[in-house]
Amino acid sequence: MLIFFIFYVIFILHINFLLRNILLGHESDNFFNFVMTYNFSPEVSLISLEFVTLCMLSFYLAYTLIYRQRNKFIDQSSLYIGKNTTFITSVSAFMMASYLVYVSYKSGFNYGSMTQFRAQNSFIFELRVVYLLLLSFHLLNIPISQIIKEKKYAFFRFSFIFYGIALLFFQARSAMFEVFVIFIYSYLMWNKDKIRFKYIVALCFLIFIPNILVMARMGVPDNISELIDGIFTVEYSILLNNYLGSVIFYEIHNETYSFLPQVWLIFPSWIRLFFDIEVGKIEYFTQVANLAKVSGGGFSLIAQMYSDFQWKAPLVFLVAGLLIGWLNKGAYKVGSVSLFYASAPLVYSMFILSLRNDFGVMFKYMIQIMVLAMVLSLIKRIKV
């Protein structure tokens, strides 16, 4: 089911619109009070579709090659989590949630002000990964039903709910997605990661929840038709395909890899500030955005890979498939998942989020979370 979710996201972000453009000549979508228009021909769409399909196929082959070798016997005993670890996890969630509520209140719950504050204090917000890693560690080793029912997890449950509410106040959709993925990922692993019809139906509805959250920023439309279009339109589909179309149509082939200047991002912001390491704005992203006639909305990982590697880009997705398949294979052993492999759902969610961002952000987050998992494992080996 986890591989299906990735393919479903790629389908709605890229393939769905490309097929409609090629077969039906569809050129635009309405997203609330915005009209999003595709700026390229069906011929460019066809090349885009071929490229995306090859990237998906490479990822799938690599992922299944390593993930199919997993031990399908699940040890459902939970022997890893001690009281101190659960308490630290709950406290970290409570502290981060309190911080988010405070910032939201001081910003007047204004999205623009909160986004600016987050950019200026990015390191504090990035500390949430400590909680997310420990949350994943708990959910992969303790059955969710046990966490819900047992009294000793009362503070754990409260802090989890408080953190979720704080994210709603802060209007951080990506951070909400991280928590959602960790929970669903763990649930699927406890149920042997099988594809089931009820999961697919639920996914088809859940995928549009971010659009409902957008209304907190934009307001609820008065026109019912505009409301329906906004909720059931994929916000990033045309935008991402415009990025991809621009690099294909204008043949933007980078002489050096566009993500290399972003390698410094793997160091936390306070370290970069201390050593006066500056990661400047990369001209490539501005160039592509101008050619695509797009402003804001992140970037396209697939478009960037085309510019950097052209038709060799599927090899990058092959490596990504191997990495995520390897981590998921380790996380499949629910009840006895190490702290390192508890990073799997975070890496998995970041890959999905990066489809509407760039490679530098994905590389930074994946390296940081895996290093954090190793450091925490070395500091204290968590036992009963």
Side-chain angles (χ1 to χ4, degrees):
M1 187 66 194
L2 291 173
I3 186 66
F4 178 86
F5 185 36
I6 288 179
F7 281 2
Y8 180 70
V9 171
I10 295 176
F11 176 82
I12 65 171
L13 290 181
H14 281 284
I15 294 177
N16 178 38
F17 176 79
L18 292 173
L19 287 174
R20 286 188 290 142
N21 179 256
I22 295 168
L23 300 176
L24 304 175
H26 196 85
E27 295 181 345
S28 64
D29 278 329
N30 295 322
F31 184 69
F32 292 108
N33 58 335
F34 296 99
V35 177
M36 300 177 294
T37 303
Y38 183 63
N39 301 318
F40 301 95
S41 66
E43 288 75 20
V44 173
S45 295
L46 184 59
I47 298 173
S48 298
L49 181 61
E50 292 173 359
F51 183 73
V52 173
T53 302
L54 280 175
C55 291
M56 287 179 63
L57 182 60
S58 296
F59 183 93
Y60 174 78
L61 292 175
Y63 179 91
T64 53
L65 176 66
I66 192 166
Y67 188 60
R68 67 188 294 183
Q69 299 171 12
R70 68 194 185 279
N71 183 357
K72 296 187 179 182
F73 169 75
I74 296 181
D75 178 11
Q76 303 232 346
S77 60
S78 176
L79 301 174
Y80 260 74
I81 311 297
K83 291 181 180 179
N84 289 341
T85 305
T86 300
F87 180 73
I88 292 171
T89 304
S90 303
V91 169
S92 63
F94 184 84
M95 292 177 64
M96 180 56 66
S98 300
Y99 170 76
L100 294 176
V101 170
Y102 171 76
V103 172
S104 302
Y105 174 75
K106 294 293 289 185
S107 304
F109 299 98
N110 179 271
Y111 178 72
S113 300
M114 290 186 287
T115 300
Q116 184 178 5
F117 188 93
R118 182 171 62 185
Q120 294 171 349
N121 302 272
S122 59
F123 177 70
I124 299 177
F125 187 68
E126 288 171 0
L127 286 175
R128 75 190 186 281
V129 298
V130 176
Y131 168 62
L132 295 177
L133 180 59
L134 292 173
L135 173 66
S136 173
F137 185 57
H138 277 75
L139 295 182
L140 287 170
N141 284 293
I142 306 172
I144 295 174
S145 59
Q146 186 177 335
I147 292 177
I148 292 174
K149 294 176 182 178
E150 294 191 6
K151 187 176 180 180
K152 65 180 179 179
Y153 295 113
F155 186 34
F156 183 91
R157 295 192 297 269
F158 170 79
S159 62
F160 175 82
I161 295 171
F162 184 33
Y163 181 72
I165 293 173
L167 291 176
L168 286 173
F169 283 146
F170 203 63
Q171 300 181 40
R173 289 191 297 169
S174 295
M176 283 185 260
F177 180 79
E178 292 169 344
V179 177
F180 169 77
V181 167
I182 290 172
F183 186 85
I184 296 300
Y185 182 105
S186 303
Y187 175 83
L188 291 174
M189 284 302 193
W190 281 103
N191 288 277
K192 302 184 179 181
D193 190 22
K194 292 182 177 180
I195 295 178
R196 294 180 177 173
F197 179 72
K198 64 179 180 180
Y199 296 161
I200 297 174
V201 172
L203 178 61
C204 291
F205 284 98
L206 290 173
I207 205 72
F208 295 105
I209 288 180
N211 289 356
I212 297 174
L213 296 175
V214 166
M215 291 191 292
R217 308 175 192 171
M218 304 174 60
V220 180
D222 296 327
N223 188 304
I224 187 66
S225 177
E226 187 177 304
L227 175 64
I228 293 174
D229 284 340
I231 292 176
F232 294 104
T233 297
V234 180
E235 178 185 2
Y236 290 96
S237 182
I238 291 181
L239 182 147
L240 297 182
N241 282 308
N242 272 329
Y243 280 130
L244 181 56
S246 67
V247 299
I248 291 174
F249 181 79
Y250 294 105
E251 298 183 348
I252 302 176
H253 301 161
N254 295 325
E255 295 181 2
T256 58
Y257 300 138
S258 60
F259 59 85
L260 287 181
Q262 297 176 292
V263 169
W264 292 109
L265 290 173
I266 64 175
F267 297 103
S269 55
W270 65 272
I271 293 180
R272 299 199 305 270
L273 183 63
F274 182 82
F275 288 100
D276 198 25
I277 300 173
E278 185 175 348
V279 182
K281 191 173 183 180
I282 301 173
E283 182 62 30
Y284 163 76
F285 297 116
T286 304
Q287 176 192 10
V288 174
N290 290 337
L291 292 174
K293 300 178 182 178
V294 170
S295 59
F299 200 71
S300 167
L301 173 67
I302 294 178
Q304 185 181 9
M305 292 299 95
Y306 181 87
S307 293
D308 284 352
F309 300 98
Q310 290 80 61
W311 291 93
K312 296 178 183 177
L315 294 176
V316 178
F317 285 86
L318 185 144
V319 173
L322 288 174
L323 174 63
I324 294 175
W326 172 61
L327 290 173
N328 286 359
K329 178 183 173 183
Y332 187 80
K333 301 173 184 177
V334 287
S336 57
V337 178
S338 70
L339 191 50
F340 176 78
Y341 284 112
S343 66
L346 280 75
V347 173
Y348 174 86
S349 67
M350 191 60 218
F351 177 77
I352 295 173
L353 288 172
S354 294
L355 292 170
R356 61 171 183 81
N357 216 311
D358 59 80
F359 184 85
V361 173
M362 181 180 74
F363 180 77
K364 162 201 166 182
Y365 190 93
M366 288 183 175
I367 295 297
Q368 285 182 345
I369 192 63
M370 287 191 287
V371 168
L372 175 64
M374 287 188 289
V375 169
L376 291 180
S377 297
L378 290 173
I379 290 175
K380 184 179 181 180
R381 294 189 178 276
I382 304 173
K383 297 181 180 179
V384 177

